[in-house]
Amino acid sequence: ARPGSVLHPPGPVLHPPGPVLHPPGQALLCTPPTRPGPALYSTHQARPCSVLHPPGQALLCTPPTRPDLVLHLYSTHQARPCTPPALPSQDIRNTVGNIPMEWYQDYPHIGYNLDGKKIFKPIRNKDELDEFLDKMENPDYWRTVHDKTTASDIRLSDEQVDLVHRLQKGQFGDVNFNEYEPSVDFFTNEVMIHPVTNRPQDKRSFIPSLIEKEKVSKLVHAIKMGWIKPRKPKETTPQYYDLWAKEDPNAILGRHKMHVPAPKMRLPGHEESYNPPPEYLLTEEERMAWEQQDAEDRKLPFLPQKHSCLRAVPAFSRFIHERFERCLDLYLCPRQRKMRVNVNPEDLIPKLPKPKDLQPFPTTMSLVYIGHSSLVRSISASPTGQWLVSGSDDCTVRFWEVNTGRCMKTLEVGGAVKSVAWNPNPAVCLVAVCFESTVLLLNPGLGDRLVVSSTDQLITSYEPPEEDKEQAVTWALSEGPEHDNGHRLTLTHPKAVKQVVWHGKGDYLASVMPDNSSNLQVLIHQVSKRRTQNPFRKNKGLVQCVSFHPLRPYFFVATQRYVRVYNLIKQELTKKLMTNCKWISSMAIHPGGDNLICGSYDCRLAWFDLDLSTKPYKMLRHHKKALRGVAYHKHYPLFASGADDGSVIICHGMVYNDLLQNPLIVPVKVLKGHQITHDLGVLDVTFHPTQPWVFSSGADATIRLFT
Amino acid sequence: MGGLQKKKYERGSATNYITRNKARKKLQLSLADFRRLCILKGIYPHEPKHKKKVNKGSTAPRTFYLFKDIRFLLHEPIVRKFREYKVFVRKLRKAYGKAEWTGVERLRDNKPGYKLDHIIKERYPTFIDALRDIDDALSMCFLFSTFARTGKCHVQTITLCRRLTVEWMNYVVTSRSLRKVFLSIKGIYYQAEVLGQLITWLVPYQFAHDHPTDVDYRVMATFTEMYTTLFGFINFRLYQTLNLVYPPKLDSKAESELKAEHEEDYAMDSESYLEKLSALSASLARVVATAEEEENQLDLFPTEGEDQENMQAREKEQKEQEAQKRLFEGLKFFLNREVPRESLAFILRCFGAEVSWDKSLCIGGTYEVTDETITHQIVDRPDMDKQYINRYYIQPQWVFDSVNAQMRLPVEDYFLGTTLPPHLSPFVEEKDGDYVPPEKLKLMALQRGEKPVQEDDEEEEEEDDEEEEEEDEEEDDVDDEELTEEKNLKKMEGTRAQGKTLAVKVTPGKVKPWETGSVGNKVRLEQEEKAEEKRLAIMMMKKKEKYLYDKIMFGKKRTTREVNKLTAKRKAHEDASKAQKKQKKAKKQ
């Protein structure tokens, strides 16, 4: 009913633990400053000050800026309801309450007074210098306190200073308070002679209980019979004994066979030492790299450190972590038995016959034929081995003498030469050259004059048949200056020609016009009769290259992924070889006719044994880049492959007459020499017809002879 | 036709494995209990060979346990104890809620507990099995024994761990089975050979732990529970093998010696006794009083040929070991207060030295600093005021290095205030091709009995240089042997490249000095040929073998690269230090 109890609702509950309420100094501030008198007065009645003050800090924490409050409190200690003191005429108390005063930092005022008017900050703030001067000059500086809420300095009166001193000493605020008043003993400890009530005692209080007797006798009986035993003293320390006293090796359970023991912790290396050799310490860069790596990627889980003495070694901060991780590994990590391969790498290398024993094969580069100005697409050697013809993208065909490297003849043709082929018949001196949609038969006029003239005769002796058949190709005889240059026959094809190839006898000639949409891709020409025929009625895919069987009437057609073998006489497909390549680039037939190699743009070379299977007998991945040309030697057991990586690899490929013995394939030499231009290296390879020499033409506009 | 259609995943590997959740359901345990059971019983997940098959066609990541393992867990008696404990907790909570304090007390008294003895016996059917698996137990117990007795785990566990580790150390001291020690930045590694098993453990440095928040201490506590049981049984058995009393008792003689001084400092007798034991300064009581050391001589059997050699080798090894056991015998050490007392006392006592320390440092010191018979005083401070002339003042690393070198190293490098030589790990066994730090080479020379080359600074600097160069050359030689192939290949490629350029530009040829048919030329040609042959053969390898070969070669290359890097670093460091020395010298002049 007192106003105070309403204001701070359960007044006594709020205050009792004085030190709790007071330290922040809120208790007093929370009471609206408008009515401090009654509130404080009432609380102090409920509980003497001795509870409020004890620690003596309480009042110091309350902002000393409230002199009126303190004064008021002081007056309450007189323990009489005093009238609220007359307030100063101009009451500048701030009404903003207990808020951080920084909130008013940016305003000119600092709060509101009782009338709701702004309280303005003093115009000039004191800076450090002022403060210092004040400290030096003002004799009352020590008793001046700054009131943040009103931003004014207040000088404490003598009484207030006195109060502060007393509180600091832990004394009561009130001077007149007697803390040793005599106590009044309400409940005495002396025993009275008379009972408080006059009720007579119960009978049961002096007669033994039967029920209890029964219970006790039961317990006694149970103890006698040994049913109840005293509690065993608890074992605090575990008891150890010889667990393996009766060790039985047969007791090993079947489970233990499946047991995969956990690997032991790795033993520390030099880098873990507290004082490692200097080379194990990380340099600045390595350290940075280490710090930037993820914890899982790090090679070392810690930074090697060097300490000058044992005394300086600190505790390892991740010690518990590491132990914990080990625990996790032990019970959470799935285990698996892994067989570690322990082989000597030398044993993995296959034992091959020594290349020395497989001689002869080309080993060194001996000649370079220089003359072309653009990449040399195709080369071909004359059957005698004395001459070499080459066709290049600079629209020329050049004839070289093999032994000297001398360019005998240069012929300009009307386009980039795709393919050249020397007639394999030694009695005829003819060269087939293809460019754009034309196949040109040239008589270079090199070598034996008799052969040259007989070749010319052969061409001129042609008599056109009576009934002229419609042909896919027009045959034209060259005359005039062209004839002097060596042109003999011109075959104009309907489409661009990519490859020409002679039959072994030298009368037939096949030309390839790759085209995905028609059946007119391969044509076979007969030179003596100037006849052309299209052997295929159907288009079976883009033809890459074709070849004649050296002995039998077979015809090989390589499309993008397969090689088809046709019987020309029976006019049927005899075999279809799966190359397992993505895109065939070139193909060559063994002079024996039973084996075949295919080069592909996906760096592989497939060797087929036609008698064995339609799948490759061996797949060689020797080159790093796309293969461009492959070739067999006529007599020696050699084959060569040229690729875009600029190398020619010579392999020994021995084919045995015994059908049961598989071909022996041994790489014997890697020949390097061509420079890679426009990502192209070697474009064509061909063997010398008689010697173990190989020619290669490259994108660097040269032809090289390796002997 | 006849027969039921076979269903997928009803036989074979799919039925041999079981996922964790299914296992948990089968055992009717909570995940926490399941984990605890797995830890105690040593059950761990297995990685199936064909995961997809086992996972019934799914590729979801799952952990698999062997089905047999789980079936085996079904009969485990402590699973029942786990359930009882669960019930106990429930009852206790209820009693608390009803404020039935007598009930609480009664429940507490009858708290269900379990023993792990049978599990230990079952996991490790023979003693040697148990001994083999004790590494982790040791490290864990040593870690737990250093914990403060506040909060993180039960105080009983900590005291038990401490007791067991002290027993272990006493055993190692008595049996003199310590072999290697290593001061790492993590802690101190010890390796002992107990009954033929190499046992390695790690002890943290004596500091208060900064307990991490992301570590589950319950898991660690479960492991420790198992480990302490195992460790206790092993200790018992080990003490038995040495005829020692278990739990360990101090020798009556030692006991009477130690009795007088510090008894009143300890509240309980047991505490002071443990402290005395852990001081490691006194020998233990034996069941049957026997002579201190029994010389176990190898019996000689008439043998022939290879066996003979083996025998001799074994004999020699035995002798060496005996010698190592007596490494510090006859020396008297005094530990200053700043050195790690426990580890040093342990090591020194393991090798037969006498150790003492300041009275205020720990109980159990047997003599004072002033004792004139002290031969070595271990000090880890830059300088000392009062020094005795008849003893060496050495830094603690000397002890560790000497133990690892199996010989008393010259003390000069370890004197008070000198810069210590690097401390090398004794656990690294260099195969040929690995990097060997020069200090190790020096040490090996010393072990072989060669005189160490004295490196006196200024006067012999030139000589110094030469020596170092020689060393470098030696190193190079070592490297060379591994690198010959690589280098040769490279050289040959180089020459080939030269040939290539020469071939393109036809210039008048020069007769190179090595082309004149000298011996070197022939050798070179031969090597070149061989290398080429090898390369061609490598081309003909099968894909699978090629892959393996490439992997092996890659690994080899990596190691050589690392070795080269270390060598280069070392060289750079030496150059730098030499330059510094020269500068100093110049300044002096």
Side-chain angles (χ1 to χ4, degrees):
Chain A
R2 288 196 211 90
S5 61
V6 179
L7 266 173
H8 351 181
V13 178
L14 250 180
H15 281 215
V20 178
L21 256 178
H22 280 219
Q26 289 154 321
L28 283 176
L29 280 178
C30 282
T31 60
T34 49
R35 335 189 38 179
L40 278 168
Y41 171 66
S42 61
T43 55
H44 283 294
Q45 262 201 341
R47 184 97 355 179
C49 325
S50 59
V51 178
L52 259 173
H53 283 201
Q57 296 140 318
L59 271 184
L60 283 183
C61 290
T62 61
T65 53
R66 315 293 301 275
D68 48 343
L69 276 186
V70 175
L71 273 174
H72 192 100
L73 192 62
Y74 178 63
S75 67
T76 57
H77 284 299
Q78 286 157 359
R80 62 189 154 82
C82 71
T83 51
L87 293 168
S89 58
Q90 203 201 357
D91 193 352
I92 51 154
R93 264 173 294 162
N94 203 339
T95 57
V96 289
N98 183 23
I99 56 159
M101 291 319 284
E102 299 94 84
W103 292 357
Y104 281 93
Q105 220 169 22
D106 298 335
Y107 296 97
H109 62 284
I110 201 162
Y112 302 90
N113 64 11
L114 290 178
D115 302 331
K117 297 272 165 54
K118 286 176 180 172
I119 304 171
F120 287 95
K121 286 179 189 166
I123 295 155
R124 191 165 157 270
N125 279 336
K126 272 191 189 172
D127 56 10
E128 299 257 326
L129 195 61
D130 285 335
E131 189 79 19
F132 179 69
L133 288 177
D134 205 19
K135 193 176 179 181
M136 289 289 110
E137 286 164 2
N138 191 357
D140 286 339
Y141 178 79
W142 64 273
R143 58 159 64 177
T144 313
V145 286
H146 181 76
D147 185 0
K148 258 198 239 168
T149 51
T150 56
S152 58
D153 288 344
I154 295 160
R155 182 180 164 280
L156 300 181
S157 65
D158 283 348
E159 284 170 329
Q160 287 167 339
V161 171
D162 199 24
L163 175 61
V164 169
H165 280 320
R166 257 180 289 131
L167 290 180
Q168 272 178 335
K169 280 182 206 157
Q171 293 169 342
F172 285 93
D174 190 350
V175 188
N176 302 324
F177 181 74
N178 182 11
E179 46 195 295
Y180 303 113
E181 274 187 36
S183 65
V184 181
D185 208 1
F186 291 111
F187 298 101
T188 173
N189 59 341
E190 290 161 19
V191 181
M192 307 282 181
I193 24 170
H194 298 293
V196 182
T197 61
N198 205 14
R199 195 168 163 275
Q201 269 191 327
D202 284 330
K203 188 181 177 186
R204 65 169 178 265
S205 63
F206 49 86
I207 289 180
S209 159
L210 283 178
I211 299 168
E212 276 180 10
K213 185 187 169 195
E214 202 174 331
K215 271 187 187 170
V216 169
S217 64
K218 266 187 186 169
L219 286 175
V220 168
H221 182 63
I223 290 170
K224 270 185 187 168
M225 300 300 287
W227 297 335
I228 295 182
K229 281 174 194 152
R231 264 193 205 122
K232 272 185 218 157
K234 265 198 174 175
E235 280 179 14
T236 46
T237 49
Q239 294 300 310
Y240 298 119
Y241 50 92
D242 192 357
L243 188 67
W244 294 279
K246 278 173 273 169
E247 208 169 76
D248 181 13
N250 297 329
I252 299 170
L253 297 177
R255 291 184 56 237
H256 289 108
K257 281 172 200 155
M258 288 297 282
H259 177 58
V260 185
K264 294 204 167 184
M265 289 284 273
R266 228 173 60 84
L267 288 171
H270 297 313
E271 63 279 348
E272 209 182 307
S273 166
Y274 88 103
N275 181 15
E279 62 268 32
Y280 286 97
L281 294 172
L282 298 188
T283 60
E284 204 54 41
E285 298 131 43
E286 285 170 332
R287 196 193 173 83
M288 297 276 273
W290 187 89
E291 269 159 11
Q292 272 163 12
Q293 271 176 331
D294 283 342
E296 298 95 61
D297 300 341
R298 284 172 186 163
K299 222 171 172 193
L300 282 178
F302 55 88
L303 271 177
Q305 287 159 8
K306 192 176 181 102
H307 301 283
S308 58
C309 53
L310 189 58
R311 180 181 77 232
V313 183
F316 186 59
S317 59
R318 285 192 55 79
F319 196 95
I320 296 179
H321 272 117
E322 287 199 347
R323 263 302 11 121
F324 178 61
E325 274 155 23
R326 171 73 179 167
C327 287
L328 289 190
D329 280 352
L330 283 177
Y331 89 98
L332 278 185
C333 189
R335 297 188 198 167
Q336 189 178 30
R337 238 177 242 285
K338 277 234 162 120
M339 301 310 281
R340 165 118 351 140
V341 193
N342 194 9
V343 282
N344 186 5
E346 301 300 316
D347 296 344
L348 289 174
I349 300 172
K351 293 278 167 287
L352 294 176
K354 279 191 177 175
K356 228 183 199 173
D357 308 335
L358 302 176
Q359 273 170 346
F361 53 83
T363 52
T364 50
M365 180 164 57
S366 25
L367 274 179
V368 183
Y369 304 88
I370 300 171
H372 282 295
S373 58
S374 184
L375 32 110
V376 185
R377 289 263 180 209
S378 171
I379 48 175
S380 179
S382 73
T384 53
Q386 197 180 356
W387 315 103
L388 182 75
V389 61
S390 64
S392 156
D393 266 11
D394 58 1
C395 307
T396 57
V397 176
R398 282 175 189 262
F399 294 88
W400 314 84
E401 193 177 22
V402 168
N403 289 342
T404 57
R406 187 167 153 199
C407 182
M408 303 301 292
K409 221 175 194 184
T410 309
L411 287 182
E412 294 265 346
V413 293
V417 180
K418 296 284 185 228
S419 170
V420 293
W422 206 297
N423 195 323
N425 189 352
V428 180
C429 180
L430 262 186
V431 175
V433 175
C434 76
F435 59 92
E436 288 175 358
S437 59
T438 314
V439 173
L440 205 60
L441 296 183
L442 297 171
N443 184 355
L446 298 170
D448 197 346
R449 272 170 197 278
L450 273 176
V451 173
V452 170
S453 58
S454 73
T455 307
D456 277 344
Q457 237 170 17
L458 190 81
I459 285 176
T460 48
S461 67
Y462 166 72
E463 284 169 14
E466 283 99 53
E467 60 224 68
D468 224 4
K469 260 210 230 159
E470 189 67 19
Q471 288 194 13
V473 167
T474 53
W475 294 73
L477 200 66
S478 304
E479 280 164 3
E482 284 188 344
H483 186 271
D484 298 341
N485 273 344
H487 293 209
R488 291 294 175 266
L489 282 169
T490 311
L491 288 76
T492 315
H493 287 63
K495 283 176 278 189
V497 184
K498 195 189 158 199
Q499 193 207 3
V500 283
V501 65
W502 287 101
H503 182 251
K505 292 273 167 51
D507 194 20
Y508 287 97
L509 175 74
S511 61
V512 180
M513 298 173 285
D515 179 6
N516 222 348
S517 57
S518 82
N519 62 344
L520 190 70
Q521 292 197 75
V522 181
L523 289 175
I524 297 180
H525 315 282
Q526 190 177 11
V527 177
S528 57
K529 292 189 178 160
R530 297 197 190 166
R531 235 175 43 181
T532 300
Q533 58 189 37
N534 178 11
F536 302 119
R537 235 173 288 140
K538 264 189 201 161
N539 170 21
K540 291 261 174 89
L542 194 66
V543 177
Q544 298 300 315
C545 49
V546 296
S547 186
F548 287 99
H549 193 281
L551 308 171
R552 279 190 285 275
Y554 288 135
F555 191 56
F556 296 82
V557 180
T559 55
Q560 201 172 315
R561 307 193 59 169
Y562 306 104
V563 176
R564 290 186 172 80
V565 186
Y566 294 95
N567 190 333
L568 287 176
I569 291 177
K570 287 186 185 165
Q571 300 201 340
E572 62 180 16
L573 179 73
T574 49
K575 240 173 215 169
K576 184 178 166 190
L577 308 176
M578 325 285 181
T579 57
N580 292 346
C581 302
K582 292 271 148 51
W583 198 309
I584 295 170
S585 66
S586 49
M587 173 176 64
I589 322 286
H590 192 264
D594 282 343
N595 294 282
L596 181 139
I597 49 174
C598 262
S600 78
Y601 290 117
D602 50 348
C603 323
R604 305 181 197 201
L605 188 144
W607 174 293
F608 289 94
D609 193 332
L610 295 180
D611 298 333
L612 203 67
S613 154
T614 56
K615 302 233 165 60
Y617 158 66
K618 204 146 228 184
M619 205 61 139
L620 308 175
R621 293 178 195 77
H622 295 169
H623 286 285
K624 296 274 178 309
K625 281 187 178 169
L627 266 78
R628 293 274 169 184
V630 290
Y632 269 114
H633 198 281
K634 275 231 170 78
H635 308 297
Y636 292 104
L638 291 174
F639 66 91
S641 57
D644 277 349
D645 55 4
S647 65
V648 176
I649 293 181
I650 310 291
C651 297
H652 178 87
M654 180 58 120
V655 176
Y656 300 97
N657 288 329
D658 181 5
L659 281 176
L660 290 177
Q661 201 163 4
N662 284 329
L664 169 76
I665 299 171
V666 182
V668 287
K669 190 75 194 170
V670 180
L671 299 168
K672 283 183 181 164
H674 283 286
Q675 270 146 11
I676 297 170
T677 36
H678 309 302
D679 281 339
L680 294 175
V682 179
L683 293 177
D684 197 8
V685 287
T686 183
F687 274 102
H688 191 275
T690 50
Q691 299 292 327
W693 300 347
V694 70
F695 302 97
S696 68
S697 73
D700 54 350
T702 59
I703 304 159
R704 285 159 201 263
L705 169 67
F706 300 93
T707 55
Chain B
M1 295 294 217
L4 286 170
Q5 196 183 357
K6 276 182 192 169
K7 275 188 191 161
K8 244 180 169 182
Y9 310 125
E10 285 198 341
R11 66 186 70 199
S13 59
T15 52
N16 287 341
Y17 292 92
I18 185 169
T19 62
R20 193 191 60 186
N21 249 356
K22 275 194 181 154
R24 203 174 57 71
K25 289 218 175 104
K26 199 171 177 73
L27 292 168
Q28 303 182 9
L29 286 172
S30 69
L31 188 58
D33 275 346
F34 177 68
R35 280 193 175 151
R36 205 137 61 97
L37 188 64
C38 285
I39 292 170
L40 296 176
K41 293 280 283 181
I43 304 289
Y44 45 85
H46 282 253
E47 184 80 7
K49 218 171 191 183
H50 302 288
K51 215 166 178 192
K52 206 173 160 194
K53 258 187 210 167
V54 172
N55 215 350
K56 310 206 167 145
S58 153
T59 49
R62 289 210 176 95
T63 47
F64 293 98
Y65 289 85
L66 278 183
F67 188 69
K68 274 186 185 168
D69 280 354
I70 300 303
R71 219 167 40 197
F72 168 75
L73 286 184
L74 279 174
H75 310 293
E76 180 52 49
I78 62 167
V79 175
R80 211 176 58 230
K81 294 283 182 189
F82 283 168
R83 296 196 189 113
E84 271 173 22
Y85 191 80
K86 206 168 66 184
V87 173
F88 159 73
V89 170
R90 205 162 53 210
K91 280 182 181 165
L92 196 68
R93 209 186 302 131
K94 205 178 256 178
Y96 258 114
K98 290 180 178 172
E100 294 169 348
W101 306 122
T102 46
V104 168
E105 203 174 314
R106 185 176 44 81
L107 282 170
R108 278 267 164 79
D109 282 342
N110 297 325
K111 182 179 171 184
Y114 52 84
K115 283 194 159 188
L116 297 175
D117 306 5
H118 65 284
I119 292 182
I120 300 293
K121 182 75 201 274
E122 175 193 275
R123 281 182 69 171
Y124 306 106
T126 62
F127 178 58
I128 291 296
D129 288 339
L131 204 57
R132 239 177 243 157
D133 217 20
I134 205 185
D135 286 22
D136 286 315
L138 270 168
S139 295
M140 190 67 124
C141 286
F142 270 102
L143 171 65
F144 264 66
S145 65
T146 58
F147 278 176
R149 301 175 184 210
T150 46
K152 282 299 167 195
C153 58
H154 294 297
V155 177
Q156 291 96 309
T157 320
I158 295 171
T159 35
L160 181 61
C161 282
R162 175 74 188 149
R163 188 192 124 190
L164 290 170
T165 50
V166 165
E167 282 168 13
W168 170 259
M169 284 199 289
N170 271 311
Y171 167 76
V172 173
V173 166
T174 317
S175 65
R176 295 206 175 171
S177 46
L178 194 68
R179 291 285 168 272
K180 287 170 181 174
V181 282
F182 178 50
L183 290 165
S184 89
I185 52 173
K186 291 180 183 172
I188 304 175
Y189 285 89
Y190 300 93
Q191 191 173 58
E193 193 179 348
V194 179
L195 305 184
Q197 303 295 325
L198 279 179
I199 292 164
T200 317
W201 71 97
L202 172 62
V203 182
Y205 289 117
Q206 292 280 350
F207 289 106
H209 290 284
D210 185 11
H211 285 286
T213 48
D214 52 345
V215 162
D216 189 354
Y217 278 89
R218 280 175 305 171
V219 171
M220 300 244 279
T222 315
F223 267 104
T224 313
E225 192 183 348
M226 207 271 293
Y227 284 153
T228 46
T229 319
L230 168 69
F231 198 12
F233 285 121
I234 286 179
N235 273 350
F236 186 92
R237 175 81 180 226
L238 286 176
Y239 272 70
Q240 219 181 24
T241 56
L242 281 192
N243 266 340
L244 294 171
V245 182
Y246 189 91
K249 290 253 158 33
L250 289 176
D251 224 349
S252 55
K253 188 178 70 184
E255 202 164 354
S256 59
E257 271 174 20
L258 286 175
K259 193 106 192 174
E261 301 156 28
H262 294 281
E263 211 69 344
E264 63 279 2
D265 294 352
Y266 293 92
M268 280 192 288
D269 267 0
S270 62
E271 268 182 23
S272 70
Y273 206 79
L274 185 62
E275 285 291 317
K276 271 187 231 162
L277 274 176
S278 66
L280 298 169
S281 61
S283 51
L284 300 180
R286 287 173 190 267
V287 177
V288 190
T290 50
E292 281 282 300
E293 287 289 312
E294 288 162 49
E295 287 291 318
N296 41 351
Q297 286 263 320
L298 264 186
D299 289 341
L300 281 178
F301 298 103
T303 47
E304 285 171 16
E306 218 171 287
D307 282 351
Q308 182 102 36
E309 278 171 26
N310 281 347
M311 200 70 174
Q312 277 168 357
R314 227 182 315 157
E315 220 168 300
K316 199 181 163 196
E317 205 171 293
Q318 180 112 3
K319 258 183 200 166
E320 269 175 16
Q321 266 190 13
E322 285 299 315
Q324 200 201 353
K325 277 180 188 175
R326 299 160 186 283
L327 183 62
F328 295 140
E329 211 143 89
L331 299 187
K332 229 172 163 183
F333 285 84
F334 190 84
L335 308 182
N336 251 25
R337 58 167 62 252
E338 68 272 10
V339 299
R341 187 203 65 84
E342 192 175 284
S343 64
L344 275 171
F346 172 55
I347 294 165
L348 290 172
R349 290 270 295 132
C350 275
F351 295 98
E354 274 182 87
V355 202
S356 180
W357 45 84
D358 197 61
K359 228 188 284 171
S360 57
L361 185 61
C362 181
I363 195 169
T366 44
Y367 44 86
E368 300 278 318
V369 208
T370 49
D371 195 336
E372 292 286 326
T373 53
I374 291 172
T375 55
H376 293 73
Q377 182 161 352
I378 299 181
V379 183
D380 195 7
R381 53 175 82 176
D383 204 8
M384 286 266 286
D385 295 339
K386 195 186 168 197
Q387 294 192 3
Y388 289 82
I389 207 157
N390 59 347
R391 65 177 80 154
Y392 293 122
Y393 287 84
I394 46 170
Q395 302 197 35
Q397 197 188 318
W398 180 80
V399 176
F400 291 84
D401 281 350
S402 298
V403 168
N404 293 338
Q406 308 191 354
M407 61 185 290
R408 292 184 204 165
L409 290 176
V411 286
E412 291 83 15
D413 296 343
Y414 301 88
F415 275 159
L416 202 64
T418 50
T419 316
L420 289 168
H423 180 56
L424 297 174
S425 165
F427 302 111
V428 181
E429 271 161 25
E430 280 95 355
K431 286 166 275 172
D432 46 327
D434 288 349
Y435 176 72
V436 187
E439 286 85 10
K440 180 117 186 184
L441 292 175
K442 253 183 234 168
L443 181 73
M444 269 145 59
L446 208 65
Q447 276 170 337
R448 281 193 299 265
E450 292 165 24
K451 273 264 172 183
V453 191
Q454 282 296 324
E455 290 180 28
D456 281 327
D457 296 334
E458 275 135 74
E459 289 167 334
E460 291 182 6
E461 196 152 315
E462 286 164 354
E463 264 187 37
D464 233 49
D465 286 5
E466 281 172 16
E467 272 166 38
E468 276 167 15
E469 270 164 43
E470 272 174 18
E471 270 178 19
D472 285 358
E473 274 171 16
E474 271 177 23
E475 277 167 40
D476 283 357
D477 283 355
V478 174
D479 289 352
D480 261 3
E481 277 163 359
E482 318 132 7
L483 286 177
T484 11
E485 269 187 351
E486 291 292 322
K487 277 186 180 170
N488 278 351
L489 273 180
K490 270 194 187 152
K491 263 182 213 164
M492 261 169 259
E493 272 166 15
T495 49
R496 202 163 297 115
Q498 266 184 8
K500 188 169 69 184
T501 48
L502 279 177
V504 171
K505 290 174 196 164
V506 180
T507 47
K510 273 182 222 161
V511 180
K512 284 179 187 152
W514 51 269
E515 267 178 359
T516 48
S518 63
V519 184
N521 175 27
K522 262 182 202 165
V523 171
R524 189 186 208 93
L525 273 178
E526 225 165 72
Q527 276 180 352
E528 204 167 321
E529 229 165 64
K530 275 230 177 100
E532 169 132 28
E533 253 172 52
K534 197 175 159 192
R535 249 177 327 126
L536 291 171
I538 286 170
M539 286 204 311
M540 280 306 281
M541 263 179 174
K542 278 177 200 155
K543 207 171 166 187
K544 212 168 162 187
E545 285 174 355
K546 182 83 193 299
Y547 176 73
L548 185 62
Y549 180 80
D550 281 349
K551 227 167 135 183
I552 295 173
M553 290 322 264
F554 178 77
K556 274 192 172 177
K557 258 182 211 165
R558 193 177 45 199
T559 47
T560 47
R561 207 163 49 224
E562 265 159 25
V563 167
N564 287 349
K565 199 172 148 195
L566 285 176
T567 327
K569 252 178 157 180
R570 178 74 183 204
K571 189 130 196 287
H573 179 264
E574 257 160 25
D575 288 348
S577 60
K578 216 182 278 173
Q580 232 174 18
K581 228 189 251 173
K582 262 182 196 162
Q583 257 186 4
K584 260 185 203 168
K585 200 176 153 192
K587 260 185 197 172
K588 260 184 207 169
Q589 286 167 353

